[in-house]
Amino acid sequence: MRFSVPGPRSLAGQLFAMQAVLIAVVVAGYALFTYVSDRSQAEEAARRQARAVARSVADSPSVLEAARTSDPTAELQPYALKVMRDTEVDFITIMNPRGIRWTHPDPAQIGQPFRGHTAKALKGETFDETYTGTLGPSVRAVTPIQDGKKIVGLVSAGIRVEEITQRVQDQLTALLGVAAGALALGAVGTYVINARLRRHTHGMNASELSRMHDYHQAALHAVREGLLMLDGQYRVALINDGGRELLGVTGDVVGRSVAELGLPVPLTGALLASEPRVDEVHLTASRVLVINTSPVSGGERRGTVVTLRDVTELQSLMGELDSERGFTQALRSQAHEAANRLHTVVSLIELGRAEEAVGFATAELELAQALTDQVVAAVSEPVLAALLLGKTAQANERGVELMVSEDSSLDDGLLPESLPPRDLVTILGNLIDNAVDAAQGSVRARVTVTAYTQDTEDPEALDDAPELVLRVSDTGPGVDPEHAEAVFQRGFSTKPARPGGRGLGLALVRQAVQRHEGTLSVSEADGGGAQFEVRLPLRETEAVAEGVTSGASVPSGAGGDA
């Protein structure tokens, strides 16, 4: 025979059982206390009632007068029975001083000696006791009948213990009815409360809730993605380790408003938005984040769940891919032009114009070599030189002349390890892309790039390390002074929208510049158009080195426009 052990109840069921038992114990204890108290009170009331009846009978003039006659029973028996009925006592016994009964509820007991104590009454005292007589156990009172100072008889009035018990049982029955009603009401209230609790706990028991909490804590600390939960007033209700790292917040932020965390304005606006956000890109000081928000509602807004993903490295790879595509297109264009020039040389040779063919080919080679020599002479740093040569070909395809100014001078090996070439490609590449976009279509469309090093111009600088100056100017329409700060915000653009959005290039430039503690400004170029200038300190700092190792740089091509 198998015995099945019941599984653990839900937390709500356990609480209901515990509360039901508690209410039952409280009601039972109160009923027992009341029963004992009521019985004691009933016995005391019976004693007072017996004393009062006995004294009333003993003080009656008719009883005193009958006691003087030769046959007291003839007058006192009917009187005693009448008083018993009127006062609801079980017996009234009137006797002579020797204890011989004159009256009794059972006429056969008349003339028999009284069963009980009379010594105190014969001394003129009234007393009460519990004694077993002819009618069974009873609570009785005995008092003297006095004629002046002479005791001519005794009166005993009593109530049976059985009758007292019956009275208590009647009261107990009513009490149990009230207790049952209280228990039923408490059970209904407990059931309603626990039904509500069961809905909130989804019927799980305490061990399941504890296990869920452990899983919850483990998941929060294990996931690399950031998780942020906001309450209905947009205060931080929960944030995991990944969220703290991605948002760059420290300390106890739970309970603080999102607006108090010091996040970038666009990111703060996205977190405070009431509508959901899906795969929205935002920039912080050193990261490119993708956020998703989802409101939590149950008839009313209860909060927002925010997930954060770090796509800095992914954005970097996308930027490198876009740059490679640009270089490929430039090479394809140059190959097409080279094929045309080769066909021209071949045609000239076929026409017997060998000298003209040689001159044409030599001129093209000298032009290409002159461009390469110019760029390498001005900027011998290999990554930047390659970037400028590629951007020159791209700009030429779009009808824009890209020039490296004569003021440029940047030797190879001058840049410290804290300033990796990737970040320079991000900064200079996006500035050139933005300038080419602005200059395209203008008269004598031109973009001028200047790169050199000089001593710092900041009088408050802690050291005299030199700084790198990158300056890109164009012949486009320029930047409205009112938008001088807005152009560096993510999403700002003066050009029509395109798939994937615009306004990320200059925001990435500013992010990279701030990461290296540099400055970025925009002004009007000498020949019209806009001039963007970047100044980066060329010194080794621990903070910068840590930023570099985090892989937070983004190369050009990741949306180079504003």
Side-chain angles (χ1 to χ4, degrees):
M1 182 176 181
R2 295 184 177 180
F3 295 93
S4 60
V5 179
R9 294 172 176 265
S10 67
L11 179 61
Q14 294 177 12
L15 289 177
F16 175 75
M18 182 186 68
Q19 292 175 359
V21 171
L22 180 62
I23 291 176
V25 169
V26 170
V27 171
Y30 176 73
L32 179 62
F33 171 78
T34 304
Y35 173 76
V36 174
S37 176
D38 286 354
R39 184 175 181 84
S40 176
Q41 292 177 1
E43 290 183 358
E44 182 62 29
R47 293 178 186 275
R48 289 196 301 268
Q49 183 180 1
R51 291 173 70 96
V53 171
R55 285 305 308 164
S56 298
V57 172
D59 291 341
S60 174
S62 61
V63 173
L64 179 59
E65 185 176 350
R68 294 171 180 170
T69 64
S70 59
D71 187 12
T73 300
E75 294 185 14
L76 293 179
Q77 177 71 5
Y79 173 77
L81 294 177
K82 183 177 184 301
V83 173
M84 283 173 50
R85 290 191 299 268
D86 293 342
T87 58
E88 296 183 351
V89 295
D90 291 326
F91 67 88
I92 296 177
T93 299
I94 305 174
M95 67 199 86
N96 64 19
R98 296 188 306 274
I100 302 301
R101 299 187 184 100
W102 288 334
T103 66
H104 194 276
D106 182 7
Q109 299 295 327
I110 296 176
Q112 300 296 323
F114 174 73
R115 293 184 181 182
H117 301 96
T118 60
K120 292 182 179 180
L122 292 175
K123 294 179 180 180
E125 298 180 14
T126 301
F127 70 95
D128 56 68
E129 65 177 352
T130 301
Y131 194 86
T132 302
T134 57
L135 300 178
S138 63
V139 175
R140 61 179 64 180
V142 182
T143 187
I145 303 173
Q146 294 178 315
D147 185 4
K149 293 184 178 181
K150 182 182 179 181
I151 297 177
V152 297
L154 301 174
V155 177
S156 176
I159 301 174
R160 292 178 301 165
V161 173
E162 182 181 352
E163 180 64 24
I164 297 174
T165 302
Q166 184 62 40
R167 294 181 183 181
V168 174
Q169 288 178 348
D170 293 341
Q171 295 177 359
L172 182 61
T173 300
L175 174 63
L176 291 177
V178 174
L183 180 61
L185 181 61
V188 171
T190 302
Y191 177 79
V192 171
I193 294 174
N194 284 278
R196 181 183 180 92
L197 178 61
R198 190 181 300 110
R199 288 195 300 271
H200 287 295
T201 59
H202 301 286
M204 292 186 290
N205 57 41
S207 60
E208 290 174 335
L209 288 175
S210 177
R211 186 164 58 252
M212 287 292 293
H213 176 268
D214 294 340
Y215 289 156
H216 172 267
Q217 292 297 321
L220 285 180
H221 293 288
V223 295
R224 296 183 59 188
E225 289 75 12
L227 179 63
L228 178 66
M229 295 185 182
L230 309 177
D231 60 17
Q233 284 71 45
Y234 298 99
R235 295 188 298 259
V236 178
L238 184 146
I239 184 171
N240 69 342
D241 298 341
R244 291 177 180 274
E245 181 181 357
L246 295 180
L247 294 178
V249 296
T250 57
D252 187 10
V253 298
V254 176
R256 294 174 56 186
S257 173
V258 171
E260 300 175 0
L261 300 183
L263 303 177
V265 175
L267 178 56
T268 301
L271 297 179
L272 293 176
S274 58
E275 67 276 1
R277 302 295 180 95
V278 179
D279 292 340
E280 195 169 281
V281 179
H282 286 272
L283 277 73
T284 63
S286 60
R287 298 180 185 273
V288 180
L289 303 179
V290 171
I291 73 168
N292 288 272
T293 66
S294 177
V296 179
S297 60
E300 60 181 7
R301 182 181 180 85
R302 296 182 178 178
T304 306
V305 176
V306 182
T307 58
L308 307 164
R309 284 180 293 153
D310 185 4
V311 295
T312 304
E313 191 66 26
L314 177 61
Q315 195 71 44
S316 173
L317 295 176
M318 291 176 61
E320 291 181 359
L321 178 60
D322 288 344
S323 296
E324 293 299 331
R325 287 175 178 172
F327 292 147
T328 301
Q329 293 176 358
L331 290 175
R332 185 181 297 111
S333 300
Q334 289 180 348
H336 180 71
E337 290 297 321
N340 290 336
R341 291 165 186 152
L342 182 59
H343 284 305
T344 301
V345 171
V346 172
S347 297
L348 289 174
I349 293 175
E350 290 177 348
L351 293 175
R353 299 175 178 266
E355 294 182 1
E356 295 181 6
V358 172
F360 179 81
T362 302
E364 290 298 324
L365 290 174
E366 290 178 351
L367 180 61
Q369 187 61 41
L371 176 61
T372 302
D373 292 343
Q374 178 190 5
V375 172
V376 174
V379 181
S380 58
E381 207 289 324
V383 175
L384 291 185
L387 173 68
L388 291 173
L389 289 174
K391 293 297 182 182
T392 299
Q394 290 182 19
N396 185 52
E397 286 296 313
R398 300 174 62 180
V400 178
E401 180 184 5
L402 177 61
M403 298 178 55
V404 179
S405 69
E406 297 178 355
D407 297 334
S408 298
S409 177
L410 190 61
D411 296 334
D412 186 16
L414 183 63
L415 301 181
E417 294 183 359
S418 61
L419 189 60
R422 171 182 286 186
D423 284 0
L424 291 181
V425 170
T426 297
I427 296 171
L428 191 57
N430 280 292
L431 290 179
I432 292 176
D433 288 342
N434 193 71
V436 170
D437 284 344
Q440 188 176 8
S442 63
V443 178
R444 297 187 61 187
R446 180 186 299 118
V447 172
T448 305
V449 178
T450 305
Y452 61 92
T453 60
Q454 68 174 25
D455 293 336
T456 180
E457 296 180 355
D458 186 2
E460 299 180 359
L462 300 179
D463 53 45
D464 56 355
E467 61 182 5
L468 172 65
V469 179
L470 301 175
R471 188 180 298 120
V472 178
S473 58
D474 59 67
T475 58
V479 176
D480 190 334
E482 295 181 356
H483 299 156
E485 179 62 25
V487 293
F488 301 115
Q489 298 291 336
R490 189 261 174 192
F492 180 88
S493 179
T494 58
K495 297 184 288 294
R498 69 182 182 191
R502 287 185 176 270
L504 187 59
L506 291 181
L508 293 172
V509 170
R510 185 172 71 168
Q511 182 191 67
V513 171
Q514 290 179 343
R515 188 165 58 250
H516 293 285
E517 301 177 0
T519 60
L520 172 63
S521 61
V522 59
S523 59
E524 183 179 355
D526 293 339
Q531 176 177 284
F532 289 85
E533 183 178 272
V534 174
R535 292 180 177 269
L536 300 174
L538 300 180
R539 62 173 181 269
E540 286 282 0
T541 62
E542 182 179 353
V544 171
E546 291 177 355
V548 172
T549 58
S550 66
S553 58
V554 181
S556 68
D561 48 31

